[in-house]
Amino acid sequence: GAVVSQHPSRVICKSGTSVKIECRSLDFQATTMFWYRQFPKKSLMLMATSNEGSKATYEQGVEKDKFLINHASLTLSTLTVTSAHPEDSSFYICSARQRGTTDTQYFGPGTRLTVL
Amino acid sequence: GDSVTQMEGPVTLSEEAFLTINCTYTATGYPSLFWYVQYPGEGLQLLLKATKADDKGSNKGFEATYRKETTSFHLEKGSVQVSDSAVYFCALTQYGNKLVFGAGTILRVKS
């Protein structure tokens, strides 16, 4: 149980295009989902927290107009990187917290974004 | 603010050796503590957790005990395998807020 999937697992795009990454909780309802960014050999950096049906809360320094987050249902959140540039290349990981719990997050397998 | 400090790696061990990865934390309240493992090219997997003082989390031969008096949550395994090679992250959360991660410790196990 408590499986989180991400799609796509890898994406390569040209500079200036937008990319959408999906995060799904497969066997539980997730009232809260989180989006992280991980640089090579580094820890995870929280980008934003999204609650189902409401606007995402972004961490300081994260551009909300560049990283659009939508959490339209209890099992799906999306991250759209708009007008991507090479510096946006990174490993993006989502996590989900199960409805009715307050501590444990379950992580997706990650999405490797490369912007040419 | 809350923080987590892990021992720096990489930690390199021979197969069947004993593993300890140190983790200490700073928090104002009573956090829940976690160990996550990340295999190359993958996301994080929950390894074990403990939610209150003196709790012991265990999974797949790994153990960690929540020590409030020393604010520690050290990860141990009695006999490591090559397949345990990965990055291990210690983390905490309080009141359902965001996870605070340590920097991660690379473990390399040689056969």
Side-chain angles (χ1 to χ4, degrees), chain A residues 3-11 19-24 34-38 44 79 90-96 106-114, chain B residues 37-45:
Chain A
V3 178
V4 176
S5 70
Q6 275 184 247
H7 177 79
S9 57
R10 290 179 178 271
V11 56
V19 174
K20 180 185 282 188
I21 302 170
E22 292 187 348
C23 176
R24 293 181 185 273
F34 303 84
W35 286 95
Y36 296 84
R37 183 172 177 176
Q38 187 178 32
L44 281 72
L79 166 67
S90 195
F91 194 52
Y92 292 87
I93 306 176
C94 74
S95 71
Y106 298 94
F107 285 79
T111 296
R112 172 73 59 193
L113 170 63
T114 303
Chain B
V37 58
Q38 184 178 33
Y39 298 100
E42 299 183 10
L44 273 67
Q45 298 177 25

Side-chain angles (χ1 to χ4, degrees), chain A residues 34 36 38 41-44 46 49 59 91 93 95 97 102-110 112, chain B residues 32 34 36 38 41-46 49 51 89 93 95-99 101-104 106:
Chain A
F34 303 84
Y36 296 84
Q38 187 178 32
K41 299 185 179 180
K42 296 289 186 183
S43 189
L44 281 72
L46 179 65
T49 302
E59 295 298 301
F91 194 52
I93 306 176
S95 71
R97 193 163 63 203
T102 59
D103 58 5
T104 306
Q105 292 182 28
Y106 298 94
F107 285 79
R112 172 73 59 193
Chain B
S32 293
F34 303 84
Y36 284 91
Q38 184 178 33
E42 299 183 10
L44 273 67
Q45 298 177 25
L46 176 65
K49 73 173 191 178
T51 57
F89 291 94
T93 187
Y95 315 121
N97 289 332
K98 62 185 181 182
L99 274 172
F101 285 95
I106 297 172

